[in-house]
Amino acid sequence: MAQSTLSAAMSAGPWTKVRPAISPWILQALERMEFAQMTPVQAAAIPLFLTHKDVVAEAVTGSGKTLAFVIPILEMLQRRETPLKKSELGAVVICPTRELAEQIATVFSSFLEAQPAEEGATSTPNRGVQLCVGGTNVTPADDDRVFREQGPDILVGTPGRMEELLKKPGVRTAELDVLVMDEADRLLDLGFAAPIRAVLGFLPKQRRTGLFSATMTEALTELVRVGLRNPVRIVVKVEAKRGSIANDIRMPATLQNFYHVARPENKFAQLLRILQHEASDAPRKSIVYFATCAQVNYFFALLARESKAGRWTQGLQFFSLHGKQSTKRRTSTFHAFTHTGSAQNTALDSDIAGAANACTSVLLCTDVAARGLDLPDVDLVVQYDPPSDPKVFSHRCGRTARAGRTGRAIVMLHAGREENYVEFLHVKQLPLQRYPYLLQNDLCARSVPGDEPALDDLARALEKALHTLIRQDRALYEFGMRAFVSWAKAYSKHEVSYIFRLAELRLDHVACEFALLNLPLMPEVARWRESNKEQASLFVDAMPDLHTFAYADKQREKQRLASLERKDERPAPAPKPQREAWSEQKRRKEVRDLRREKKERKRDWQAQQPPPPPASDEDDWGAEERAAKKLKQGKLDSASFDAAFFDSL
């Protein structure tokens, strides 16, 4: 495989330098989108595609990979000698998530809107792009109907739904020019290997193929060997010099990467301080990553309730996004966060927590928003929970410092063993700087760097304030218990298990971090209690009375009370019959054995008795009576009866 390694400079020259040259209408569209210069990955990939090469591009996040395949696809389709028929496909783009597919389809549409009706005698106007994803109200039958009616040249979608459409008899792929797999390693990580192979089976082998990703895995290398013909590999990386040694860093050059260390009981307070401190100079957009969907639900609900008071979250506006939300809610949240502060913000009120005039918009999310998505103007990324898969670390950080913008990323670690994660990332060519512990007189005041105190009074005050909110709504209590359990299970399955060991953490202090009223009943907690009986703790296990603990939602509380009433009216279940004592069971068995023994002795005695004497006359009368009955029933004939019982004359 050929290989081309490019420097870190974000500018690789004007678009007019590309050879073969790009069409004028595409250059005009790029100028309107304010993309004046190419990035290195674009400068390398576009000419290769246009000269009929297969491409494997590995580039840092935010390096412009989307335009690196969108532009050559449009160019190749319009340069076809024979136009595509309505039932024929020209290009297929496969993505791992709905959001990424929608984003790429939007980019295609932006270019196609600028496409002139007639570009020239040899050009072929593109008929458009079709989005093909699951998890929406659009069914596979709807996809087939849209394809037959509109006949798009470009198909963008997720693997499963793409397979459903390509196997329809009316979809012809023999004339397909190019296949692109974006975030290709993620496609394989999510278990899409089978549908991807099925899609490849529908496509012609004489095609151009492009794989784009920020990281390269062994599975992706195997896919390269199977699906590409003599591809050219493009690697875009950042080069940092220390002394005379050059190190390859897989991060954008404009990204500042930090790590923050705090004891578990102070971690959540530090999160709010970091968000406020980073926004003290200018309004910002921030993303906070959690390990599980339950954590996102819990902390969003908690902060939504606290934001009504506004003391601890002043100036912050929160959004939530995770993979278990409905498609409608995910779409509305994504749109609302993207257009924060603009007139286009039409998100549902339930998806947003905080003041509308807040200076910082904060998206609480899981790794569903970690890869591929272009979230504009994100200045800060906070990894509240380090990712289970180390490869995801750089993808999370890559949501900021995109396309040459500056950005900051912070990973939050518990004091102790987790601090070894910094050295682990350094070995992975991801160097981090220390972010200071923040101190202040009040959480809504300006924070100042300092050392972590032995007892952070304001963190304890925040915890007590959150306890007060939780006691007012049983739903928050239940969210918190689910969040803690899901976090503990995810933490125990961390791939870097020699660093992230649940047994090494003070679970009582982590309970303070979650603002729990009591620790849940689970094996991990039971083992921790058994091994830490003598340790003093900040945590006070205050189990609420679940019989009287009410929901703030009136309808839900009404249902809970009705359930309790039905339970009280239900007759008590009949007591289960008690099993006999072991001694009584043993006595019964001895009686059965004794009876069996007596029967066996009787059979033995009867077998030893002499045969009975010859039958007497009385016995003959009984035999004659029995024979007479058989004669009457027709079972014995008269001749036989007479021969047996009468003398012949």
Side-chain angles (χ1 to χ4, degrees):
M1 178 187 297
Q3 180 166 339
S4 174
T5 303
L6 302 175
S7 67
M10 288 304 298
S11 176
W15 295 97
T16 53
K17 291 176 61 177
V18 176
R19 293 294 180 270
I22 298 176
S23 300
W25 68 270
I26 294 181
L27 293 176
Q28 293 173 6
L30 289 168
E31 183 179 357
R32 189 177 63 254
M33 297 176 189
E34 298 183 357
F35 293 119
Q37 299 285 324
M38 294 182 290
T39 64
V41 69
Q42 294 163 357
I46 293 175
L48 292 172
F49 261 128
L50 295 180
T51 53
H52 307 290
K53 297 289 195 306
D54 287 351
V55 175
V56 178
E58 180 183 1
V60 294
T61 57
S63 57
K65 293 189 290 291
T66 301
L67 289 183
F69 61 78
V70 167
I71 291 174
I73 286 176
L74 295 173
E75 287 287 347
M76 283 189 282
L77 292 183
Q78 80 159 1
R79 293 178 184 182
R80 288 181 55 90
E81 295 181 359
T82 57
L84 292 167
K85 297 179 181 178
K86 193 173 182 180
S87 60
E88 294 177 337
L89 270 176
V92 166
V93 180
I94 305 177
C95 314
T97 64
R98 291 191 297 270
E99 289 80 5
L100 181 55
E102 292 170 358
Q103 188 169 280
I104 293 173
T106 301
V107 175
F108 272 113
S109 298
S110 299
F111 278 97
L112 292 174
E113 289 173 0
Q115 180 181 222
E118 291 291 340
E119 179 65 21
T122 60
S123 66
T124 304
N126 194 293
R127 284 193 298 267
V129 59
Q130 179 179 345
L131 181 64
C132 187
V133 296
T136 65
N137 295 329
V138 180
T139 65
D142 294 331
D143 289 336
D144 184 39
R145 177 182 53 78
V146 170
F147 182 83
R148 284 186 281 104
E149 292 176 356
Q150 300 180 4
D153 291 344
I154 305 169
L155 198 62
V156 180
T158 49
R161 189 58 77 82
M162 192 82 72
E163 179 188 359
E164 288 285 333
L165 180 58
L166 292 180
K167 67 183 181 182
K168 299 292 184 182
V171 181
R172 298 172 58 189
T173 60
E175 295 296 320
L176 185 124
D177 288 308
V178 59
L179 163 69
V180 169
M181 286 185 273
D182 196 17
E183 297 295 342
D185 60 329
R186 185 62 172 164
L187 284 167
L188 301 178
D189 290 343
L190 292 176
F192 287 130
I196 286 175
R197 288 191 175 90
V199 169
L200 293 177
F202 291 116
L203 306 182
K205 294 183 179 180
Q206 298 296 326
R207 65 170 189 271
R208 299 280 64 78
T209 303
L211 304 183
F212 290 79
S213 179
T215 53
M216 183 68 68
T217 63
E218 293 182 3
L220 186 56
T221 304
E222 180 64 26
L223 187 60
V224 169
R225 288 196 292 266
V226 173
L228 282 74
R229 295 177 299 142
N230 192 28
V232 178
R233 182 177 178 183
I234 302 168
V235 179
V236 178
K237 53 193 176 184
V238 178
E239 192 173 85
K241 293 185 177 180
R242 294 183 177 179
S244 60
I245 302 175
N247 297 319
D248 296 332
I249 304 173
R250 298 184 181 276
M251 286 288 178
T254 55
L255 174 66
Q256 292 179 286
N257 231 337
F258 299 91
Y259 71 96
H260 177 277
V261 178
R263 286 190 286 269
E265 64 270 22
N266 301 328
K267 186 176 180 180
F268 188 62
Q270 282 293 292
L271 172 64
L272 298 182
R273 289 170 178 167
I274 289 171
L275 294 173
Q276 292 171 336
H277 178 68
E278 290 292 324
S280 58
D281 297 329
R284 290 183 180 272
K285 280 186 180 180
S286 303
I287 301 178
V288 181
Y289 286 101
F290 293 91
T292 68
C293 301
Q295 285 177 269
V296 174
N297 282 337
Y298 172 58
F299 286 113
F300 176 76
L302 201 59
L303 293 171
R305 193 65 55 85
E306 204 287 323
S307 295
K308 294 180 180 179
R311 180 191 175 197
W312 308 97
T313 57
Q314 182 176 350
L316 303 178
Q317 185 180 27
F318 297 95
F319 303 78
S320 69
L321 182 68
H322 60 76
K324 292 186 179 179
Q325 291 175 336
S326 66
T327 302
K328 180 180 178 181
R329 178 166 181 179
R330 285 170 62 178
T331 302
S332 66
T333 301
F334 182 79
H335 185 273
F337 180 73
T338 302
H339 299 93
T340 301
S342 70
Q344 301 180 49
N345 194 340
T346 58
L348 302 177
D349 292 340
S350 60
D351 297 340
I352 305 175
N357 59 351
C359 64
T360 293
S361 300
V362 183
L363 178 66
L364 310 181
C365 63
T366 59
D367 287 337
V368 71
R371 302 185 58 149
L373 296 181
D374 185 17
L375 299 168
D377 305 325
V378 173
D379 304 286
L380 176 68
V381 168
V382 179
Q383 302 192 53
Y384 190 80
D385 295 312
S388 176
D389 184 353
K391 295 191 295 292
V392 178
F393 184 91
S394 58
H395 290 283
R396 286 179 170 185
C397 297
R399 296 315 97 202
T400 186
R402 298 179 67 83
R405 289 175 55 91
T406 59
R408 293 158 73 85
I410 305 169
V411 58
M412 302 188 71
L413 304 172
H414 292 136
R417 179 182 289 269
E418 286 189 13
E419 295 179 58
N420 296 327
Y421 193 59
V422 179
E423 184 61 29
F424 171 82
L425 291 176
H426 183 76
V427 173
K428 297 288 184 180
Q429 301 176 352
L430 298 171
L432 308 179
Q433 307 173 53
R434 179 107 185 197
Y435 193 94
Y437 192 90
L438 298 179
L439 297 169
Q440 55 196 32
N441 295 326
D442 196 342
L443 281 175
C444 63
R446 186 181 178 91
S447 302
V448 294
D451 297 327
E452 185 175 17
L455 182 63
D456 192 330
D457 294 331
L458 279 174
R460 303 284 68 72
L462 172 62
E463 182 186 353
K464 291 179 181 178
L466 297 179
H467 282 172
T468 301
L469 294 175
I470 293 171
R471 290 190 181 97
Q472 296 171 2
D473 188 359
R474 180 172 180 151
L476 288 178
Y477 171 80
E478 293 176 349
F479 277 156
M481 300 297 275
R482 293 193 196 105
F484 184 89
V485 171
S486 68
W487 166 84
K489 291 182 177 179
Y491 196 94
S492 62
K493 296 176 182 178
H494 203 289
E495 289 190 16
V496 193
S497 57
Y498 75 93
I499 294 176
F500 297 93
R501 297 179 59 185
L502 194 64
E504 298 290 330
L505 286 179
R506 289 287 302 269
L507 294 186
D508 54 343
H509 291 178
V510 178
C512 295
E513 175 186 337
F514 280 77
L516 297 186
L517 300 181
N518 63 284
L519 282 167
L521 298 176
M522 55 187 301
E524 293 84 355
V525 172
R527 288 193 294 269
W528 177 85
R529 287 185 188 276
E530 185 64 27
S531 59
N532 295 271
K533 290 181 178 179
E534 306 300 327
Q535 290 185 350
S537 175
L538 294 171
F539 180 68
V540 178
D541 204 329
M543 178 71 181
D545 183 0
L546 297 180
H547 190 79
T548 59
F549 200 177
Y551 293 102
D553 183 84
K554 294 182 179 180
Q555 184 62 30
R556 196 170 181 185
E557 177 61 15
K558 183 178 179 181
Q559 294 174 355
R560 186 187 75 87
L561 293 176
S563 177
L564 285 177
E565 186 177 348
R566 289 194 300 270
K567 186 176 181 180
D568 293 339
E569 293 176 352
R570 192 180 303 151
K576 294 182 180 180
Q578 295 185 351
R579 297 184 63 183
E580 292 181 326
W582 178 80
S583 56
E584 179 63 19
Q585 294 178 14
K586 183 178 180 181
R587 187 192 66 79
R588 288 178 177 274
K589 184 175 182 302
E590 291 175 348
V591 171
R592 289 196 299 270
D593 292 343
L594 181 60
R595 289 176 177 173
R596 189 179 300 110
E597 185 180 352
K598 287 182 178 180
K599 289 181 179 180
E600 290 176 354
R601 288 203 304 266
K602 182 177 180 181
R603 284 196 295 269
D604 294 340
W605 178 82
Q606 289 176 342
Q608 296 173 2
Q609 298 306 309
S616 61
D617 292 341
E618 294 180 358
D619 291 334
D620 290 341
W621 282 108
E624 184 178 351
E625 184 177 0
R626 290 192 294 274
K629 289 182 179 179
K630 291 182 179 181
L631 178 64
K632 186 175 181 180
Q633 295 172 356
K635 297 179 179 180
L636 188 67
D637 58 85
S638 300
S640 299
F641 181 81
D642 293 342
F645 297 102
F646 294 99
D647 295 333
S648 58
L649 297 176

